[in-house]
Every structure is written in structure tokens, then in C-alpha cells.
Amino acid sequence: MLAVLAAARRGLWGGDSGCRAALVQSMHTGLQRLQGAAENSASEAADAPETQNDRDFSFFPPVPGKGSTLRWAGKKYEEVPIAHIKATYNNTHIQIVSPQNISFTLLTCGTEGFKNAKKGTAVAAQTVGISAAAKACAKGVSHVRVVVKGLGPGRLAAIKGLTMGGLEVISITDNTPIPHNGCRPRKVRRL
């Protein structure tokens, strides 16, 4: 920037002198504004107390028992409500509870009016997610942690419905039970 300003002052750029003077003036005032803004931001940064270090920041949820500086609507990670999603092959259940395990809302595809095989679809799960989010927002919930259990078709659709309904999802945890060769499975279904 300074090199361009010096070249313009020396007259290295051709053209009419009035245009050259206007260019020099605009570049000079622009440079002064930039320097003033840099000084102001440096003084504001020095005056403001440092609330969060880069070392303290992490994209992952904190380990239980270890504190975190991150806040969602003024709440710590442990104080944010939990949305439990159980996605089976035939239905999808969504329950939003407080950290103390007090239920805010419990909805299934059946309570939303879907019948029989339509309960196991992604559209039904998304509808349930939207209505569960609307009910939770009415009770003052704005952020949720999501815990998903099961392999049904409504896994991702339910999470999408929660966000479409107005809730902000801060973490997604998969809690699907996986047997380590525990019980004997049922016999194979023949059609």
C-alpha cells in the first residue's frame, strides 16, 4: 500500500494531474482509516478481559467431571437438555428430557397420526421431530444434546426434524446397543 502511494506521489503513473491528485488523496485517507481501525481494535483487545483461550476450545464435548468454558444459552454442556431418539424398524420415539431426567415431551409416529407401515418411514420421523421441537420450544428449550439409539429409517430424519422445529443440536451421540455375541439371535425369517 505504501509503495503504491509513493509511486503515485512521484508521478510515475501517467494521466491527468487532477485524477492523480484525487487518487493520492483517496489512498492517503484510506490508509489513515486503516491505521486508525487497527489502533482501535488493538486498544479494545487490550481493554477486554480474555474470556476464552484457544487452548481451552475444543470441538468435542467435555469429558464428564472436567469443566468446559463453552456455554449454550448460558448453560454448561451438562445442563443442556437431552433429546433421546429411538429409531426402530417399525416406529420412531423422541423424548426430550432435562438433565435431571424430567420429561419435557414424548412423541412417537403413532401419536402423530401415522398408522401401520407408515410409522416406520423417514417422513413420519421428521414430522415427529418437528412437533417435538415445537413442544420443547414452548417450554423454553433452545439447545439440545441428541442421543440416538437404533438402526431404523428415522435416525437422521428425526434429527433433521428437531432442527427444522427450532432447536439447535449441539452434539449427536450414538447409543445403539451392540451385542458382543450375547444372546442367540432369532431364526431367519423365510418368505
Side-chain angles (χ1 to χ4, degrees):
M1 180 86 178
L2 293 176
V4 173
L5 185 60
R9 278 194 181 159
R10 279 183 292 193
L12 295 178
W13 287 346
D16 134 31
S17 64
C19 178
R20 198 175 358 177
L23 177 66
V24 169
Q25 179 66 26
S26 66
M27 291 174 71
H28 184 66
T29 56
L31 181 63
Q32 287 177 341
R33 279 192 218 128
L34 283 173
Q35 288 175 344
E39 290 171 2
N40 288 342
S41 65
S43 64
E44 288 173 4
D47 293 342
E50 191 171 331
T51 56
Q52 183 176 3
N53 288 347
D54 289 340
R55 289 181 289 126
D56 295 339
F57 181 76
S58 173
F59 286 107
F60 302 106
V63 177
K66 183 177 183 280
S68 174
T69 57
L70 297 176
R71 298 284 185 267
W72 294 271
K75 296 178 182 177
K76 294 181 185 177
Y77 180 79
E78 294 85 16
E79 298 169 355
V80 175
I82 305 168
H84 293 280
I85 299 173
K86 183 180 177 188
T88 63
Y89 291 111
N90 298 320
N91 206 347
T92 302
H93 301 255
I94 298 179
Q95 182 174 17
I96 301 176
V97 298
S98 70
Q100 293 80 25
N101 229 10
I102 300 169
S103 178
F104 289 125
T105 177
L106 169 65
L107 288 169
T108 65
C109 295
T111 59
E112 286 299 305
F114 293 94
K115 303 284 184 191
N116 302 329
K118 292 186 179 77
K119 291 191 294 185
T121 61
V123 174
Q126 185 173 337
T127 306
V128 170
I130 292 170
S131 60
K135 285 187 178 182
C137 286
K139 295 185 179 180
V141 177
S142 60
H143 297 79
V144 290
R145 300 180 277 164
V146 174
V147 177
V148 183
K149 185 181 280 191
L151 297 172
R155 277 172 67 99
L156 295 176
I159 297 171
K160 186 177 177 184
L162 289 174
T163 57
M164 287 173 64
L167 291 179
E168 190 170 334
V169 176
I170 61 170
S171 75
I172 300 173
T173 307
D174 188 9
N175 199 16
T176 304
I178 300 171
H180 301 289
N181 286 344
C183 300
R184 177 176 172 149
R186 54 185 294 182
K187 65 179 182 180
V188 180
R189 184 178 168 210
R190 279 185 235 134
L191 296 172

